[in-house]
Amino acid sequence: IYRIAIIIIIMAKATVPMTAEMQQLANDPNFIVEFAVGDPVPELVPQDRKSGIKFSGVYFEKTKRYIMKRARMSKEDVRIFDYETGHVVMVSHHPGKDPYAEFDPLGLNDSGDQHKVQGGEWESACDVTSRDHRMQNFKIRPKHMSRHGRQYIRRPNDETLMNVAKMGKLETQSMRPHFEVCNEQSDDRVYTIIADMMERTFTIKNEQGDDVAQVAKTGKAIIQTAVFGSGTESTIDIAPGVDC
């Protein structure tokens, strides 16, 4: 963080035009921490149930927390648990995942070759299955020939619910990674996802600038990343009134 602070001080003294984000970094010490590692205690704003993207129709009266973990030695990719009950509510399935890949560091096993396509976008294609009767199944499919890696979230019947794409730095005027979430197949942005520079947190904001959800690596995952090079456990916090 102190390195970032030094860079900001140097930039503040330079004659190049400063973006709003750079000005905030130069004037707000608290924002430097948020810029680097994310907001540790986000204030999620309750939403009107009529707003946002409609999906499963599952709402809560208080902030709802889920835990997301990578599934190892399994055909499943990721499992999402209800924080309060510990029950698995959603799992994702990657068509090319090999549960024995960890035993094959040289990549001698070719069991996933049939799923590969030009450009490597096959890695983002997955199906997500509900283990909770209230939740809806969906699938994620990449757009062909997309400059910003646009992904479509669709129901099993191929109805498109939303699409997600990375935003360019020229558009965002920010050094932090940004993503846009648009309604159905349109360019009508509903949410903006902002990651910190360490990509420890991903904060989801509506068009009014309210924080409506946040995905954050847990302390356990951060320690695992520092020691072993990877940590996969994250929390998902969703504001009241937002469709889960």
Side-chain angles (χ1 to χ4, degrees):
I1 293 176
Y2 75 86
R3 292 186 179 93
I4 295 175
I6 292 173
I7 292 172
I8 296 305
I9 292 173
I10 294 173
M11 293 169 66
K13 293 180 178 180
T15 57
V16 297
M18 295 183 66
T19 64
E21 180 180 76
M22 294 163 60
Q23 291 175 354
Q24 190 173 3
L25 285 168
N27 298 318
D28 186 353
N30 293 326
F31 184 67
I32 295 178
V33 177
E34 182 179 339
F35 175 85
V37 296
D39 188 348
V41 188
E43 295 184 8
L44 302 185
V45 181
Q47 300 294 301
D48 188 326
R49 293 188 180 187
K50 296 179 181 179
S51 64
I53 294 175
K54 306 296 185 295
F55 184 48
S56 293
V58 178
Y59 303 92
F60 294 93
E61 298 300 324
K62 60 180 182 179
T63 299
K64 183 64 178 177
R65 168 165 286 190
Y66 296 96
I67 302 293
M68 181 170 61
K69 293 184 179 181
R70 181 175 297 174
R72 300 186 183 277
M73 314 315 299
S74 167
K75 281 290 187 180
E76 298 172 353
D77 279 317
V78 175
R79 295 171 183 153
I80 297 179
F81 300 80
D82 187 306
Y83 179 77
E84 295 178 357
T85 66
H87 295 158
V88 177
V89 294
M90 304 288 287
V91 297
S92 71
H93 310 267
H94 187 280
K97 183 176 181 181
D98 179 5
Y100 302 106
E102 293 182 12
F103 295 124
D104 185 29
L106 298 180
L108 302 178
N109 185 353
D110 62 355
S111 62
D113 286 350
Q114 67 271 25
H115 300 286
K116 294 183 179 179
V117 297
Q118 284 297 112
E121 288 187 340
W122 69 285
E123 294 180 355
S124 64
C126 69
D127 295 334
V128 182
T129 303
S130 170
R131 296 286 180 85
D132 184 323
H133 70 277
R134 298 172 298 174
M135 301 292 189
Q136 299 288 322
N137 297 341
F138 63 94
K139 54 188 179 181
I140 301 173
R141 296 292 185 268
K143 178 181 179 180
H144 297 296
M145 303 298 292
S146 172
R147 184 174 58 159
H148 295 296
R150 191 170 297 277
Q151 313 290 319
Y152 292 108
I153 290 81
R154 294 171 172 156
R155 297 189 190 275
N157 64 0
D158 284 332
E159 175 192 355
T160 302
L161 295 164
M162 67 188 89
N163 65 85
V164 183
K166 190 170 185 178
M167 301 171 67
K169 286 183 168 54
L170 187 61
E171 178 184 3
T172 64
Q173 295 290 295
S174 171
M175 291 180 281
R176 294 177 292 173
H178 282 60
F179 304 83
E180 64 176 3
V181 182
C182 301
N183 195 34
E184 299 178 345
Q185 299 190 59
S186 71
D187 296 328
D188 298 333
R189 187 183 306 155
V190 180
Y191 300 118
T192 300
I193 305 172
I194 304 175
D196 59 63
M197 291 297 290
M198 301 293 292
E199 295 192 4
R200 188 190 77 86
T201 63
F202 292 82
T203 302
I204 303 172
K205 297 177 176 287
N206 62 16
E207 287 298 272
Q208 289 72 47
D210 298 333
D211 292 353
V212 300
Q214 187 186 70
V215 180
K217 283 189 175 181
T218 63
K220 175 182 176 181
I222 294 172
I223 293 173
Q224 288 176 334
T225 300
V227 177
F228 302 110
S230 65
T232 64
E233 184 179 274
S234 299
T235 57
I236 305 173
D237 291 319
I238 303 174
V242 176
D243 194 336
C244 294

